[in-house]
Structure formats: structure tokens, C-alpha cells
Amino acid sequence: KNKQVKIEDFFKVN
Amino acid sequence: MFKATINAKDFKKIIDATSNLVDEICFEVDENGIKANAMDPSHVALVSVNIPKDTFEEYISDVHDIGVDLEALKKIMGRAKSNEKLTLELDEEKNKLNLILKNDAVRKFSVSLYDVSSTNLKVPDIEYPNEVMIKAGAFVEALKDAELVNDHVSLKISEDGKFIIFSKGDINQSETIYDNNSESILDLKITESSKSTFNLAYLKDITKATSSDDILHIYLGSDMPVKIEYNIGNAKILFLLAPRIE
């Protein structure tokens, strides 16, 4: 089953 | 000082598009125009609005943060007529934003400012391998098909360069396939196959305020947020939606 992730998780990458 | 005049129709659309995701927003105004970035309450999506000065018929502004309740603005703009001009005016003494609608009559509204301090939220600069330019109406139709079978949808780029909106339920499945020959597709810039899965309710909210002929720029990668951009007059609105990941 897939799980919703938060948009903030992608801030750190950048 | 902040005073700006714009056609009511464009501003209404900007507010409609934003308020589907966000309850309150801080407009950062300066001499160049109005900007606002906000996350939805669940921090799954981000909306960013940029209304440059040249969108306005009249624009005078110093630097201010104007925090407003979007539901209140939405209700007021819901009363605006498309042939009306809207003047936004900051009343610093009373701590209010005045909205003045003008055509036959002059109608004045005044909303209290929220202490929504500017969050300094920046839109992350993500590089995407794929970009789809598609008419909003076509994308919305594909979402409606997907909704028949599940509450989430995969946006895929196939190896042979097709854009696929795919949804799979326990027993049923839905798929809409676009390629370069589709009339609704204005451009496909593809460098690799990709797949990300998203919550359908968010995608519907993101596209709810669009007209069917609006051109969506959809940026896609694998297990990456989708970036969806479109223009409202000279203003630009951008959404980032985080994926669902296995």
C-alpha cells in the first residue's frame, strides 16, 4: 500500500 | 501604502484557485507586485501565486505583509461581477484590507487582517525530467475517469513517450492515454519514463478553478511531487503536490 508523504520532505533535498 | 486596481474576474479566479487548498494566506506586496506562498493544513500541497505589477491597471506599494482569511475574500469575490474593477487598498491605521468594486455602483468591503506573518516559505527548485503541456479540460476529464475506480491516481510517462493517467482499484481500472498527436496536448518534453501516484482529491482541488482552455504545465518525475502551473491573465499560479509512495 502506498502512503501519503508531506511536501516538506522535498524541501530538504534542495 | 498599498493600492492596486485589477479586473475583478482575474482576481476572483486567483482567489478561487488558492482557497481550494489554503484557509489563510499572507500576500507579500512590494513595488514589483504581489506574491504569496502557502501550504495546505496537512502540508501535502503548496500553492504559490505571483501577480506582477504590470497585471494591475494601477499599482502603488511599499513593502507589506497582508494576512487575510481566504474564505472571507472568496465570499466577497463571489459577489463581484466580471465587468467590475477591483481596487485593493491597505488601511494601516485600522489594520484592514479594503476591497472596492466599481462599475455601475461603488461597493466597498473591508476585511480584518490576520496576523499571518510571512512564513518565508520558498518554493523548492526541483528539476524534472518531464513536462506535459495539456489543456486543463482534458486533464480534468481524465481525473474524473480515474475517480471511478480509486481515490488516488498515477501520472505516468511511458518509455514510448505517452502521458498516461492511470488508476487501479481492487477490481477495476481506468487509463487515459495522451501522445503528441492528441489535440489536448500542446507539448510533451520527455527525457525518461516516470511514475508518481497522487491523491485525487488534491488534484481536483488544484484544477477546480481552471477553465477548460487554460494550459497546464505539468512537471513529472518518479516518486516526486507534481508541479502544476498555469496563468491567470499575467498572474502565475503554481501548485506542488507531494506523492504517495510505496
Side-chain angles (χ1 to χ4, degrees):
Chain A
K1 261 294 183 194
N2 56 32
K3 189 169 157 272
Q4 179 66 58
V5 297
K6 293 192 186 294
I7 196 71
E8 292 136 312
D9 298 345
F10 295 91
F11 288 21
K12 295 156 200 159
V13 181
N14 296 273
Chain B
M1 171 84 193
F2 168 69
K3 190 178 179 189
T5 302
I6 188 171
N7 77 59
K9 196 180 161 194
D10 282 352
F11 194 73
K12 179 182 186 302
K13 191 164 171 177
I14 292 166
I15 296 302
D16 282 345
T18 319
S19 63
N20 286 333
L21 280 177
V22 180
D23 301 328
E24 50 194 37
I25 203 162
C26 181
F27 290 118
E28 297 167 32
V29 306
D30 62 20
E31 72 274 18
N32 300 314
I34 303 179
K35 278 183 188 170
N37 296 333
M39 274 191 280
D40 84 292
S42 306
H43 290 195
V44 168
L46 180 151
V47 56
S48 175
V49 180
N50 186 0
I51 321 173
K53 180 186 177 176
D54 62 11
T55 310
F56 297 89
E57 288 175 21
E58 187 202 353
Y59 189 90
I60 317 161
S61 183
D62 307 317
V63 178
H64 295 284
D65 284 347
I66 303 175
V68 285
D69 173 35
L70 276 175
E71 197 55 38
L73 275 198
K74 189 184 180 179
K75 281 181 185 163
I76 293 169
M77 293 317 296
R79 295 284 306 146
K81 299 175 180 80
S82 56
N83 58 3
E84 283 181 313
K85 301 277 176 219
L86 169 72
T87 299
L88 300 164
E89 194 179 43
L90 180 66
D91 185 335
E92 287 178 76
E93 262 178 36
K94 292 182 181 158
N95 208 31
K96 300 223 182 243
L97 178 69
N98 297 328
L99 295 95
I100 302 149
L101 290 162
K102 247 184 244 175
N103 187 20
D104 184 34
V106 176
R107 298 190 284 152
K108 294 184 179 177
F109 298 89
S110 181
V111 294
S112 289
L113 298 189
Y114 271 48
D115 191 17
V116 190
S117 54
S118 149
T119 51
N120 284 322
L121 181 65
K122 295 266 181 292
V123 180
D125 190 18
I126 302 170
E127 292 225 355
Y128 286 92
N130 303 312
E131 181 190 349
V132 176
M133 273 173 73
I134 184 171
K135 285 189 181 169
F139 186 61
V140 168
E141 285 298 312
L143 295 181
K144 285 180 185 168
D145 285 352
E147 200 183 14
L148 297 179
V149 297
N150 210 330
D151 62 0
H152 52 265
V153 62
S154 296
L155 303 182
K156 302 200 291 190
I157 299 292
S158 68
E159 269 172 28
D160 58 348
K162 292 184 167 69
F163 173 46
I164 301 165
I165 298 112
F166 174 81
S167 178
K168 195 176 185 318
D170 289 336
I171 40 173
N172 301 329
Q173 189 171 309
S174 151
E175 202 170 13
T176 302
I177 302 158
Y178 287 108
D179 63 23
N180 257 321
N181 297 319
S182 307
E183 264 183 41
S184 309
I185 297 290
L186 287 99
D187 201 6
L188 288 174
K189 288 178 194 148
I190 289 164
T191 63
E192 63 186 43
S193 61
S194 69
K195 181 189 171 194
S196 292
T197 301
F198 303 98
N199 179 297
L200 255 172
Y202 275 97
L203 281 175
K204 286 186 76 184
D205 278 344
I206 286 169
T207 51
K208 201 183 267 175
T210 58
S211 316
S212 57
D213 282 339
D214 283 338
I215 308 298
L216 303 181
H217 293 249
I218 304 178
Y219 297 83
L220 290 165
S222 286
D223 290 334
M224 279 168 69
V226 59
K227 179 164 86 172
I228 300 179
E229 278 180 342
Y230 65 98
N231 293 325
I232 299 172
N234 271 338
K236 188 184 256 186
I237 189 152
L238 174 159
F239 298 91
L240 275 181
L241 172 62
R244 299 179 62 94
I245 294 179
E246 279 183 37

